[in-house]
Amino acid sequence: MKWTKFYLPDAYSPTMEQLVYFHDHTMSIITSITILICILLNSLLWNKLIDLNMNEHQMIETWWTILPTIVLFLIAIPSLKILYSMEELINPTISIKSMGHQWYWSYEYSDKFCKELESYMKYNKKNDFRLLEVDNKMKAPFLTQIRMIFSSKDVLHSWTIPCLGIKMDAVPGRINQSSLMIKKPG
């Protein structure tokens, strides 16, 4: 992943794959609508013909009301399927608790063995991504269903991994959870 890429990051989870497919589906609909509108505007600008019988056409008015409704359903149904699948927890094998603090994150693995680690940001190396590199990275197994539990000690935090298609807010006093499955190591 480079900063100069204009496309979505490579998908490392089934959720992100679904989000990429939905993005492509929606962009194809938007592109076809844009092309149709440009063609209609072009014909409207260059056409000098006037049809006086066009005043009372209920059929055209019916179709330009029904077609946008069908297009909205073509966008809404896949979107709702993805939203519900993102919130679904499928028999997690391991749970990882992620706690946001003022300047760092702490992680707790508590299912099979009890392990805790704190993750602070690194500032000094030139090759590191600014505000993204940490000293202790959270390690998660791949091809395993994982339940992530998020909370915060002091202020609002946002925990995200774009290539996995996960973004959760850590709110003080509340527990949020999300399901995660990593398909590729790395």
Side-chain angles (χ1 to χ4, degrees):
M1 172 101 186
K2 304 233 189 279
W3 289 104
T4 56
K5 271 182 94 172
F6 289 113
Y7 195 63
L8 297 171
D10 296 335
Y12 281 82
S13 72
T15 304
M16 188 61 188
E17 286 176 355
Q18 290 178 356
L19 289 172
V20 168
Y21 293 146
F22 177 69
H23 171 266
D24 294 343
H25 168 72
T26 307
M27 287 306 292
S28 65
I29 291 174
I30 290 172
T31 304
S32 61
I33 289 173
T34 304
I35 290 171
L36 177 69
I37 295 298
C38 288
I39 290 171
L40 290 175
L41 280 174
N42 190 25
S43 68
L44 184 67
L45 287 175
W46 298 108
N47 192 0
K48 302 293 184 201
L49 301 174
I50 297 174
D51 188 5
L52 297 176
N53 297 326
M54 196 74 170
N55 291 336
E56 297 289 332
H57 279 281
Q58 283 84 20
M59 186 59 75
I60 292 177
E61 292 175 2
T62 304
W63 279 109
W64 75 44
T65 304
I66 291 175
L67 283 178
T69 307
I70 292 171
V71 169
L72 286 176
F73 274 113
L74 287 175
I75 294 173
I77 290 173
S79 171
L80 290 174
K81 284 182 182 178
I82 293 172
L83 279 174
Y84 282 118
S85 72
M86 287 173 71
E87 294 294 323
E88 187 176 351
L89 282 175
I90 308 166
N91 238 0
T93 307
I94 187 170
S95 294
I96 301 173
K97 181 180 172 185
S98 177
M99 185 70 69
H101 299 275
Q102 185 73 34
W103 293 104
Y104 64 98
W105 287 89
S106 63
Y107 300 101
E108 179 182 327
Y109 302 85
S110 59
D111 283 342
K112 308 248 188 273
F113 53 91
C114 201
K115 181 181 178 186
E116 292 184 25
L117 63 102
E118 293 178 346
S119 181
Y120 291 92
M121 286 187 291
K122 285 200 259 181
Y123 293 107
N124 51 1
K125 293 188 179 175
K126 282 189 173 184
N127 295 335
D128 291 343
F129 285 122
R130 186 176 176 271
L131 301 177
L132 291 178
E133 291 292 329
V134 294
D135 58 355
N136 292 326
K137 295 180 180 178
M138 181 194 84
K139 293 176 178 63
F142 73 101
L143 296 178
T144 304
Q145 198 66 34
I146 303 167
R147 175 177 56 190
M148 293 291 300
I149 300 171
F150 303 98
S151 189
S152 174
K153 287 280 188 191
D154 43 23
V155 295
L156 293 174
H157 294 280
S158 184
W159 193 91
T160 182
I161 302 178
C163 61
L164 295 178
I166 183 171
K167 182 174 176 71
M168 261 305 164
D169 291 330
V171 181
R174 297 193 68 183
I175 294 178
N176 288 335
Q177 71 178 358
S178 180
S179 179
L180 176 65
M181 185 170 129
I182 304 169
K183 290 180 74 173
K184 299 175 190 174

